[in-house]
Structures are given as structure tokens and as C-alpha cells.
Amino acid sequence: MVPSAVAAGGAAAYSSAVLASSPTHFYRFNSLATDETDFSGNGNDNTPPNGGSESTFKTDGPTGTYLEMAGYSDGYDVGYSVNPNAFSCEVIVRPSESAIVDYWGGNDSGGGSTRPWIGRVASDGEVTAYANNQAGPVFTTSGVDVRDGAWHQIVFTHNWTSGETSIFVDGAVTNIDASAGSTSKQLNSVMTVGSKKPGNSMWQGGIAEWSFYESELSAADVLTHFNASGI
């Protein structure tokens, strides 16, 4: 549910909760400029293709302003050079209600083994986390339909050592899947915010917060972030 003006949490509370978990990338979409600031403090600022001309910044999101993406060519390409043993990606999004596949982030430079991870909402509304164990992709689904016109917190964690993938929706774990196996994976040099890979398969709908961590967020961390968001 979209919070009222007096809902608990919001921009400052959510930012504090996320920063306490030490993200390497943290995008808030709270500037009407074309440059998007990395609020993690790590300097990973970026500019969307076309200067964001096919997306719209709005001011009535759950944590402040947000980006309404139309599924064209305004995803952000983010430089990346670390290969962590585990990672997490967290978003606050309002998916389009259309029966399509929407990608909210990824580390995909091509196909097959060049796709270490992808986060998406499938056409049936379920969150899908994709982790590639070098032998092939392993998809983990949430079992929760988020195409309901509301804002949702989605968190995808993966451990390359254990092969375990977890999906959280709105502060609660919905699936834990260890089927990816125990295989290390070299991440690509570019991550994408609001798309599957550079210039491909863009997000449709609202995206208010996007953060990446070189660790697995705990269930307690995820719940803390959700409660701070006010959604």
C-alpha cells in the first residue's frame, strides 16, 4: 500500500537503514537532474542513456521522488570491478500491471555464462532471481504476485560458495533455493539499474530505491529496511 504523508518510515529512515548495511551502490532517484547520485558514498554516479528522456521523475513515491520508467532505453549502466563471494540487491518498485517480463537489475553482458545474475518480475507477477552457476542458469521464484499496483520491497541475495539464493518480498522471505550449487562466479564489469543488460529489456513501472551489497543481507536487515521504508 502506498503510504500516507504520516506513514511511519520514509526517505530519511530508509536511507539510514540502508546505509547501516554498507551498500556499495545506492540510488534514490531523488534528483530531477539527469545525473543519478550514488548515496553509498562510493562515487558510483551515473547518467541514463538519452539523459532520462523517456522516463519521468515524480515526487509522490513511498520514500520521496522516484523514476517512472516506460520500458524503453533509460536504464542506468553502473561500473563494477569486484567479485564478492556473496551479494544482495534490494529495490523498492511498483511494477507495471501489464503481463510482461520486467527487469529491475542485472549483471548481464551477453548470454549463457556471461549472465551472473538477473532480477526480474515475470509476466505472472512473481519475482524471479536468476543466478548462473557456470553450468547454466538457475531461476528461483517468489510465489508472490507483485503486479497489484502497489509499491513493494524486493531483495535478492545469493552466495556463490553455498549456491543458496533467497528472495524476500516486503520484509519476508518467500523462497530459499540452494539448487545453484557451490560454484564461484566472476561478475561482469557493468551492472544495470532498471534493465537486464546495457540497452536491453528495460523496467516498466516505478522504481524508487536501488541498492547493492557485497554480502548477504540477513532476514533481520531486510525487515529493518522494509519497516523503515513506510510501505
Side-chain angles (χ1 to χ4, degrees), residues 196-213:
K196 179 173 71 171
K197 61 183 180 180
N200 183 274
S201 301
M202 305 299 178
W203 178 257
Q204 294 189 47
I207 182 167
E209 308 281 353
W210 197 103
S211 52
F212 186 85
Y213 310 79

Side-chain angles (χ1 to χ4, degrees), residues 14-81:
Y14 182 78
S15 177
S16 294
V18 167
L19 290 174
S21 299
S22 302
T24 60
H25 300 70
F26 183 23
Y27 303 107
R28 313 215 61 206
F29 311 102
N30 67 350
S31 170
L32 298 181
T34 55
D35 292 336
E36 182 58 35
T37 300
D38 173 19
F39 283 85
S40 74
N42 294 311
N44 296 306
D45 300 351
N46 59 77
T47 303
N50 300 319
S53 62
E54 294 169 341
S55 297
T56 304
F57 282 97
K58 298 188 176 182
T59 59
D60 58 346
T63 54
T65 55
Y66 67 96
L67 186 66
E68 187 72 31
M69 297 185 69
Y72 296 111
S73 55
D74 285 345
Y76 294 79
D77 301 341
V78 182
Y80 192 71
S81 60

Side-chain angles (χ1 to χ4, degrees), residues 153-177:
Q153 177 214 38
I154 298 171
V155 179
F156 162 33
T157 73
H158 185 71
N159 187 306
W160 292 117
T161 301
S162 68
E164 184 172 279
T165 297
S166 297
I167 300 177
F168 299 78
V169 177
D170 295 339
V173 65
T174 62
N175 197 355
I176 299 176
D177 183 0

Side-chain angles (χ1 to χ4, degrees), residues 17 21 153 168 171-173 216-227:
S21 299
Q153 177 214 38
F168 299 78
V173 65
E216 289 179 271
L217 290 176
S218 69
D221 291 332
V222 173
L223 182 59
T224 296
H225 294 187
F226 173 70
N227 288 338

